[in-house]
Amino acid sequence: DYTIICNGGFYEFFCGPLFGFDHEKGELDLPGNGHEVIFTTHTSDVAKFVPHIIADPFSRNQRIYIQGERTTLNQIIQTFEKVSNKKFKVTY
């Protein structure tokens, strides 16, 4: 038996230095043009859902999708700028 849980990128890791986000300097190095749709999920949300998914007989031998947010890198940048009240220097 198996259950595959697909959750997109973890938001906490995706929006960190590993993926080019430097919050202190206000600089971002991003792949593409920032308009591509991406799927992100918070690790805490996945942790909340997994026990319920595993306990549900429907999940047996299934692929289950958890999607926290459907967004673009440019939308994420806009949110950071709004919250931090500073403009980010973006390199694509």
Side-chain angles (χ1 to χ4, degrees):
D1 291 343
Y2 68 90
T3 300
I4 298 172
I5 299 173
C6 305
N7 54 256
F10 287 121
Y11 191 80
E12 296 89 340
F13 302 130
F14 185 74
C15 296
L18 181 63
F19 289 95
F21 281 74
D22 187 333
H23 302 280
E24 289 185 20
K25 291 182 180 178
E27 297 177 352
L28 306 168
D29 291 323
L30 303 177
N33 61 17
H35 297 297
E36 298 86 0
V37 175
I38 58 172
F39 304 97
T40 62
T41 308
H42 285 273
T43 53
S44 61
D45 289 339
V46 174
K48 290 175 191 173
F49 283 111
V50 167
H52 300 286
I53 291 169
I54 299 298
D56 187 337
F58 173 77
S59 69
R60 180 187 231 176
N61 301 321
Q62 297 292 319
R63 183 178 299 222
I64 307 295
Y65 293 87
I66 301 173
Q67 179 180 313
E69 185 173 3
R70 182 182 299 199
T71 188
T72 68
L73 293 174
N74 288 330
Q75 289 171 324
I76 292 173
I77 293 165
Q78 289 173 352
T79 300
F80 279 122
E81 289 178 338
K82 184 177 180 180
V83 170
S84 68
N85 200 28
K86 71 177 177 179
K87 185 79 173 152
F88 282 76
K89 178 184 174 194
V90 182
T91 305
Y92 294 96

